């Protein structure tokens, strides 16, 4: 839980993502450029969908069929130096504005937005920045709870 963490930053990510080389370095460079009182998003590469904020390219839908060689070969061509405003998931939060789920948002569509809305209520001067060089692969697994 967040209370037991000892770092000044929290990177919140779902368990069906894999980190691609350099994802953290580009986030660190963004913090140096834009400051440490913002929320930073990596960009997800997903195998399907139509979300314009993500990269849609199928390298596999689960770890067993991931074409990691093709993904790593294509990685540089998928990166962009562009930084845009907006919230994506996964997110890097500074500890001073990280909060838990906002019960006012329950039941929410997804918890990702709940946490961001909560953080914005702590400090409405924060910016949400998408770092398009920081790439994560998202398998888009649909966990069944039952």
């Amino acid at each position: 839980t967040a209370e037991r963490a000892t770092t000044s930053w929290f990177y919140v990510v779902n368990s069906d993502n894999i980190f691609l080389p350099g994802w953290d370095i580009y986030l660190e460079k963004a913090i140096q450029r834009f400051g440490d009182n913002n929320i930073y998003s990596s960009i997800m590469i997903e195998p399907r969908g139509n979300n314009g904020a993500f990269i849609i390219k199928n390298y596999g839908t689960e770890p067993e069929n991931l074409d990691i060689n093709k993904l790593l070969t294509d990685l540089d061509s998928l990166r962009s130096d562009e930084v845009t405003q907006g919230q994506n998931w996964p997110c890097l939060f500074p500890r001073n504005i990280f909060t838990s789920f906002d019960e006012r948002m329950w039941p929410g569509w997804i918890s990702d937005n709940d946490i961001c809305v909560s953080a914005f209520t702590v400090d409405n001067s924060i910016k949400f920045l998408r770092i398009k060089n920081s790439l994560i692969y998202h398998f888009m697994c649909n966990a069944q709870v039952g």
Side-chain angles (χ1 to χ4, degrees):
T1 64
E3 294 82 23
R4 298 188 329 193
T6 59
T7 61
S8 57
W9 289 87
F10 293 97
Y11 191 76
V12 184
V13 61
N14 295 334
S15 61
D16 63 339
N17 288 273
I18 58 170
F19 301 92
L20 297 174
W23 71 274
D24 52 343
I25 294 167
Y26 291 109
L27 290 173
E28 183 179 29
K29 288 179 180 181
I31 292 167
Q32 292 168 356
R33 181 175 173 196
F34 299 107
D36 60 2
N37 199 44
N38 298 307
I39 296 174
Y40 295 91
S41 298
S42 296
I43 301 298
M44 287 195 290
I45 302 168
E46 295 187 326
R48 63 187 176 279
N50 59 1
N51 187 329
F54 301 152
I55 297 168
I56 309 301
K57 191 152 176 141
N58 189 351
Y59 293 98
T61 55
E62 54 192 62
E64 294 78 17
N65 66 17
L66 176 66
D67 189 347
I68 191 67
N69 292 327
K70 177 73 171 141
L71 176 55
L72 293 176
T73 298
D74 293 353
L75 194 56
D76 284 340
S77 68
L78 299 172
R79 293 192 195 281
S80 167
D81 289 331
E82 187 179 7
V83 175
T84 59
Q85 288 198 16
Q87 185 267 330
N88 272 10
W89 205 250
C91 288
L92 179 65
F93 294 84
R95 182 183 195 88
N96 64 317
I97 59 173
F98 180 81
T99 63
S100 61
F101 298 100
D102 188 336
E103 291 183 13
R104 295 171 298 168
M105 299 292 287
W106 185 259
W109 178 54
I110 50 176
S111 58
D112 315 354
N113 296 328
D114 299 353
I115 294 172
C116 290
V117 167
S118 255
F120 193 70
T121 63
V122 170
D123 182 351
N124 65 7
S125 71
I126 62 171
K127 292 181 180 148
F128 295 87
L129 300 174
R130 295 180 184 128
I131 310 306
K132 294 191 174 186
N133 274 330
S134 176
L135 299 177
I136 305 293
Y137 192 78
H138 183 215
F139 289 110
M140 299 179 74
C141 295
N142 292 320
Q144 299 295 319
V145 179

